[in-house]
Amino acid sequence: MDKNTVIGFGLLMLMLIGYIFYNQSSQTQLQKQRIADSIAKIKTMPIDTLVKKDTLVAAAAIPGDTTTQAIPEQFSSIENDDLLITFTNQGAYAVKAELKKFKTFDGKPLMLFDGKNNLIDFGYKSVNGNLVHTKTVAFNTTVAADKRAISFVANGDELTYKLEPNGYMLSIEAKLANSDKSQNVSMQWKSQSLLTEKDLQSQQQYTQICFNLEKEGYDYFTIKEKETHDLKESVKWLSFKQHYFNTTLITDSPLIASAKVDVAPAQGDTALHLLSDFDAGLTLMPKDRIQMKMFMGPNDYKLLKSYHRDLEEIIPLSYAIFGFVKYINKWLIIPIFYGLAKIVSSYGMVILLLTIIIRLLMSPFTYKSYVSSAKMKALKPELDELREKLGDDKQAFGVEQMKLYRQAGVNPLGGCLPALLQLPVFFALLSFFPHAIELRQSKFLWAKDLSTYDSILNLPFNIPFYGDHISLFTILFVITSLVLALYSMNMTVDQSNPMMKYMPFIMPVMFLGIFNKLPASLTFYYFVSNVITIILQYVIQNYIIDPDKIHAQIQAKKKEPPKENKLMARMAEMQKQQQERAKNQGKK
């Protein structure tokens, strides 16, 4: 590994460190604020808000209508193979949604939401000029015989919810018979995210509001603080996304004219497994029959893509300046990953095979890098002679060095190519693995869950920069990185620079703290990648590359007229100009 390769890897790791430190710092500040807000909230919270009332009595549906009978609260459920939804007749909305095929990190039934702070309310102006909100109305309830549909009726208004035999899509239909059809209908959608994962910080980090607008297309924002967003155009769908699950409101035709979204982190309610609050006020166009769908299910890329509504955009396959890696995930990583999953049952083995395939695809470039390093090493005796001849005149040495490289046909930047090629793949996997729901609660070797860190020992205290647990895959990754660093020192042509000499050892030590909190799927991938790199280096440099043959080729190349290389010529010209400027300054 030559100087340029080490620089390339160093820049790569510095970018990673900056990215992870930024996220960790933001999460730490956010958590401190939540704890403070929690204490303040508990001090002011009325005792009776913690008491669940078993029986409620609704007010009249329409103000001034004295014929409406008070109806006690009733809870009814519909379900299919994948979803169980519980409704209240007081407002005719869902108060609980259970994903039947998933569990929380501690083995409990997974509730997408639970409680009466989750609701859908239709508000309209009646033909009598009154303002009506369905959340204040007591409805009569009818559940279909197959338990997959439920209808609520009151004063001519009817709300119907229906599930298919399987899947996570709920159909919603509202017939508001008393509404003034010349007026827009308002809709309020409230929901709350619950703690479902072991890593609280990761789930908070990936709780987002995603939306697809008629003109502007897809966008999202992360819930970091209390804020309001106005969507001032037609909304195709609006999603309240958690780390591995989402609730998304979808329209088949232009229906939502605009939306105002209020979000806030839960004020210290993590003890109650509550993470964030979502409240959307939607403006619906006047229609005789309002029809929409609501997806309540997993962030499964294949499943979301099957709806052909761009719902798969909810899964963040890239970030900010690394937006281009989304296409590496879509066109390379995801097809290989799902293709391997069809023939291999263990996702740990899928990651192992994926790593091997990626490294094989990059092996031609890796080989060229090793050949470039071998050529640089073959020129070391001549470079040493130049260094001895020119002494401390670094400018003159640079000019003669570039001249020697041109004569020998050596590209000093050849060793950087594999590092540059690994950069987009590195960030593609950094986006893909933490969001692949297939890895959630998937076991492999000692890792109980590939979607989070593989702790082999939980510490009774927190070590700054490291954490409160020990990840074995991270330790293995660091050890193999140190082995690569030792090997690189033997291959480095110029070992006179202290920075270049010790940088390969500094980075692995830093990895120990950075990677300790990353998902086991990522650290396992990097560990396997290091092992493959060590094997490739050994095989290529000991059984494929012939140093004597390369030296002979270089000597023969030096006898030929040098080929015009614009980049090399430009570098040589720049060094020559620097040398002349240095001489002129010395004369002054």
Side-chain angles (χ1 to χ4, degrees):
M1 186 180 292
D2 59 20
K3 175 181 177 181
N4 294 296
T5 305
V6 175
I7 292 175
F9 276 111
L11 291 174
L12 169 64
M13 292 304 107
L14 287 174
M15 293 174 69
L16 171 65
I17 292 168
Y19 172 79
I20 294 177
F21 266 115
Y22 172 78
N23 281 307
Q24 289 180 348
S25 176
S26 299
Q27 289 300 318
T28 301
Q29 292 176 4
L30 180 60
Q31 189 66 15
K32 289 180 179 179
Q33 182 62 41
R34 287 180 178 177
I35 293 172
D37 292 339
S38 174
I39 296 171
K41 181 178 180 180
I42 291 172
K43 289 180 178 179
T44 60
M45 183 181 293
I47 299 299
D48 59 2
T49 61
L50 301 177
V51 180
K52 179 178 179 181
K53 296 181 179 180
D54 295 327
T55 305
L56 298 175
V57 179
I62 301 175
D65 184 356
T66 59
T67 62
T68 302
Q69 299 293 321
I71 302 174
E73 184 171 30
Q74 299 174 347
F75 294 97
S76 306
S77 299
I78 61 175
E79 64 179 309
N80 62 10
D81 295 341
D82 302 294
L83 198 57
L84 172 62
I85 308 175
T86 302
F87 295 83
T88 175
N89 68 323
Q90 301 286 339
Y93 57 83
V95 294
K96 182 187 298 186
E98 177 185 346
L99 305 187
K100 297 166 69 173
K101 295 183 179 179
F102 294 90
K103 299 293 183 182
T104 62
F105 69 97
D106 51 359
K108 297 178 180 179
L110 194 145
M111 301 298 173
L112 192 58
F113 56 82
D114 187 2
K116 300 189 73 173
N117 283 326
N118 302 272
L119 63 84
I120 288 180
D121 168 52
F122 294 97
Y124 62 86
K125 185 177 181 180
S126 73
V127 292
N128 297 327
N130 296 315
L131 294 178
V132 179
H133 285 277
T134 57
K135 68 181 179 181
T136 66
V137 178
F139 288 81
N140 291 305
T141 307
T142 302
V143 179
D146 60 5
K147 302 292 185 181
R148 289 192 284 107
I150 188 170
S151 296
F152 298 93
V153 179
N155 300 300
D157 291 344
E158 182 177 0
L159 300 178
T160 303
Y161 302 88
K162 183 179 180 180
L163 289 171
E164 296 298 325
N166 53 61
Y168 302 93
M169 196 69 78
L170 176 71
S171 297
I172 303 173
E173 182 177 84
K175 299 177 184 178
L176 307 176
N178 296 302
S179 67
D180 183 348
K181 300 303 187 292
S182 66
Q183 302 291 320
N184 289 334
V185 175
S186 68
M187 176 180 170
Q188 183 185 30
W189 170 28
K190 295 181 66 176
S191 191
Q192 296 176 309
S193 66
L194 305 177
L195 179 65
T196 60
E197 311 305 319
K198 177 182 177 181
D199 190 346
L200 171 63
Q201 288 190 353
S202 291
Q203 187 172 347
Q204 290 172 333
Q205 178 183 346
Y206 298 125
T207 300
Q208 299 169 333
I209 305 303
C210 307
F211 48 90
N212 195 357
L213 304 181
E214 195 71 39
K215 296 179 181 179
E216 296 296 326
Y218 173 77
D219 204 350
Y220 76 96
F221 60 91
T222 302
I223 302 177
K224 295 182 178 179
E225 58 186 3
K226 186 176 181 179
E227 56 185 319
T228 298
H229 287 257
D230 287 317
L231 310 179
K232 298 181 179 180
E233 63 169 285
S234 181
V235 181
K236 293 182 178 180
W237 51 259
L238 176 63
S239 179
F240 182 39
K241 169 189 164 292
Q242 302 176 31
H243 190 173
Y244 288 109
F245 306 95
N246 77 83
T247 308
T248 303
L249 187 67
I250 308 166
T251 60
D252 291 318
S253 59
L255 175 64
I256 305 175
S258 62
K260 182 179 181 180
V261 181
D262 293 307
V263 295
Q267 302 300 306
D269 283 335
T270 52
L272 303 175
H273 287 192
L274 178 61
L275 296 185
S276 56
D277 294 310
F278 166 85
D279 189 351
L282 313 174
T283 301
L284 307 183
M285 300 175 185
K287 290 184 180 293
D288 294 331
R289 181 178 300 181
I290 296 173
Q291 293 177 313
M292 56 185 66
K293 295 181 183 296
M294 180 167 281
F295 178 88
M296 304 178 185
N299 297 334
D300 184 314
Y301 183 84
K302 291 194 299 182
L303 175 64
L304 295 176
K305 189 175 182 179
S306 68
Y307 292 111
H308 303 290
R309 299 174 184 267
D310 297 325
L311 293 176
E312 69 275 10
E313 295 290 343
I314 290 172
I315 302 174
L317 297 177
S318 61
Y319 288 101
I321 61 173
F322 301 105
F324 66 94
V325 305
K326 172 175 66 176
Y327 302 102
I328 296 176
N329 275 320
K330 286 186 174 182
W331 298 339
L332 178 66
I333 305 299
I334 289 177
I336 296 176
F337 181 84
Y338 285 125
L340 291 172
K342 290 180 180 179
I343 57 177
V344 181
S345 59
S346 167
Y347 279 104
M349 293 303 298
V350 168
I351 295 172
L352 174 63
L353 295 174
L354 175 66
T355 312
I356 293 172
I357 291 172
I358 291 175
R359 294 313 305 266
L360 287 176
L361 290 175
M362 298 180 65
S363 60
F365 305 101
T366 304
Y367 172 75
K368 289 183 179 180
S369 172
Y370 293 153
V371 170
S372 177
S373 297
K375 288 181 178 180
M376 299 280 283
K377 193 172 183 179
L379 288 174
K380 186 176 183 303
E382 296 177 56
L383 289 173
D384 290 340
E385 290 180 8
L386 282 175
R387 193 175 286 108
E388 184 178 350
K389 177 181 177 181
L390 299 173
D392 295 331
D393 192 344
K394 294 183 178 180
Q395 296 292 337
F397 175 77
V399 172
E400 294 299 322
Q401 182 184 35
M402 295 305 299
K403 182 178 179 181
L404 178 62
Y405 286 160
R406 291 179 64 192
Q407 289 178 339
V410 175
N411 183 0
L413 300 179
C416 291
L417 185 59
L420 293 175
L421 289 174
Q422 287 185 57
L423 181 63
V425 175
F426 178 89
F427 281 102
L429 293 171
L430 192 62
S431 300
F432 174 70
F433 279 142
H435 301 100
I437 194 170
E438 293 81 5
L439 301 177
R440 183 180 181 270
Q441 299 181 354
S442 178
K443 299 179 180 180
F444 182 68
L445 299 177
W446 56 84
K448 298 179 180 179
D449 186 347
L450 286 172
S451 69
T452 187
Y453 49 80
D454 58 312
S455 176
I456 59 170
L457 179 63
N458 294 321
L459 304 175
F461 49 85
N462 184 75
I463 301 175
F465 186 70
Y466 183 71
D468 58 359
H469 63 274
I470 297 175
S471 166
L472 183 53
F473 279 137
T474 300
I475 292 175
L476 293 174
F477 166 65
V478 170
I479 291 173
T480 52
S481 297
L482 287 170
V483 172
L484 279 172
L486 287 170
Y487 196 85
S488 299
M489 280 194 64
N490 296 328
M491 296 301 299
T492 301
V493 175
D494 183 8
Q495 298 187 9
S496 60
N497 189 330
M499 177 181 173
M500 300 305 300
K501 185 175 181 180
Y502 294 108
M503 181 182 287
F505 298 99
I506 296 173
M507 299 307 297
V509 174
M510 297 184 69
F511 291 156
L512 189 63
I514 296 171
F515 281 66
N516 195 54
K517 297 179 182 179
L518 294 183
S521 53
L522 268 175
T523 50
F524 174 59
Y525 169 84
Y526 294 132
F527 161 61
V528 174
S529 181
N530 275 355
V531 172
I532 295 174
T533 300
I534 292 171
I535 295 173
L536 283 176
Q537 283 191 355
Y538 182 80
V539 172
I540 291 175
Q541 294 177 355
N542 288 277
Y543 295 99
I544 298 177
I545 295 177
D546 186 344
D548 295 333
K549 184 178 180 180
I550 288 178
H551 186 268
Q553 290 175 346
I554 289 176
Q555 298 306 316
K557 195 79 175 178
K558 290 167 64 176
K559 297 177 182 179
E560 300 175 1
K563 293 183 179 180
E564 184 65 25
N565 187 314
K566 294 182 179 181
L567 177 61
M568 297 284 288
R570 179 60 178 164
M571 291 175 66
E573 180 64 25
M574 290 174 62
Q575 288 189 336
K576 186 176 180 180
Q577 291 175 0
Q578 290 177 356
Q579 184 181 18
E580 291 177 353
R581 283 197 295 269
K583 289 182 179 179
N584 293 333
Q585 289 176 358
K587 291 178 180 179
K588 293 179 181 179

